[in-house]
Amino acid sequence: MSIPCKLCERKRARRHCPGVGGEICPVCCGTGRENTIDCPLDCEHLQEARQYERPAVPGAGDVPNQDIRVSEQFIQDHQDELTWLTLALARAMEAGKAVDLDAREALDALIRTYRTLASGLIYETRSQNPYAAAIQQALQQSVEALRKQMAEESGMHRLRDADVLGTLVFLQRLEMQHNNGRRRGRAFLDFLRSYFPAPSPVSLKS
C-alpha cells in the first residue's frame, strides 16, 4: 500500500523527511527544501542536493564594502584570527538555529559598527532580528576573547580593529558566495563546517 506525501497529500511518498517528521514525495522535497522545511544539516537528501547547487554569484555592484580590500596576503597574515572568528560564527549559528540570511545580517551590522570605529566614533549598529543579534553578540564576545588571549600571549594588544573589520568583510563575501538563495538555507553554514572543522585549541604566539 502506497503512502501519500505528508505535504501535498496527492503524490506517493518516496522518502523520509526529518524536517517534517514524515514521508514526502520528491517534488515537495525539492520545492520545500530550506524554503518551507527546516532541513537538518545531516539529512541525506539535503546533502545530495548540495552537490548540485549552484549559488548565484553576486554581481560586482551587489557586493558591499568594495572599498575594503582583503588580499591573499591579508588572509595569510591573519589566518589564526580568521579561523577563530569563523569557528565562532559557525558555533553561534548552530546554537541559535540561525540560517545564512541571519548570519548575513549579523555580519553587516558588525561591519557597520567597525567602520564607525575606524572613523573615530563609537556607535554600535544592532540588528533587530533576534537570531542575527545573537550571532552578533557571540562574535563580539569572541573578538574580545581573542583580543585578551593575544595580549596574554604576546604581552601587548596586537588585534587591531582594522584587522577585525577585514576579517568580517571576508566572511561577508564568503556568505554571499555560498548562500543558495533559499529562505531557510544553511549552505553557507555547511561550507563553514566542511572547510573550517573545529581544531585543537589555537595558540596565537608568534
Side-chain angles (χ1 to χ4, degrees), residues 74 78-93 107 110 114 135-147 150 159-171 188 192 196 202 204:
F74 176 89
H78 301 280
Q79 187 173 7
D80 288 336
E81 294 95 313
L82 175 60
T83 300
W84 181 289
L85 292 181
T86 300
L87 292 173
L89 175 57
R91 286 195 298 266
M93 292 181 69
L107 289 169
L110 271 175
Y114 275 89
I135 295 173
Q136 183 179 351
Q137 182 178 6
L139 285 176
Q140 288 174 314
Q141 292 173 346
S142 182
V143 168
E144 293 309 311
L146 176 59
R147 199 185 303 275
M150 292 177 70
L159 183 60
R160 302 184 307 154
D161 289 340
D163 296 335
V164 176
L165 176 60
T167 302
L168 292 172
V169 169
F170 178 72
L171 289 173
F188 172 56
L192 296 183
F196 295 89
V202 176
L204 299 174

Side-chain angles (χ1 to χ4, degrees), residues 116-135:
T116 303
L117 287 173
S119 69
L121 301 175
I122 299 178
Y123 178 79
E124 181 182 9
T125 300
R126 175 65 63 175
S127 173
Q128 297 302 309
N129 172 355
Y131 295 97
I135 295 173

Side-chain angles (χ1 to χ4, degrees), residues 1-16 23-29:
M1 178 179 177
S2 63
I3 302 174
C5 172
K6 183 175 181 178
L7 295 180
C8 69
E9 300 181 341
R10 296 190 306 273
K11 296 182 176 63
R12 180 181 178 184
R14 295 183 179 274
R15 59 185 59 172
H16 178 73
E23 310 302 310
I24 63 174
C25 67
V27 173
C28 286
C29 177

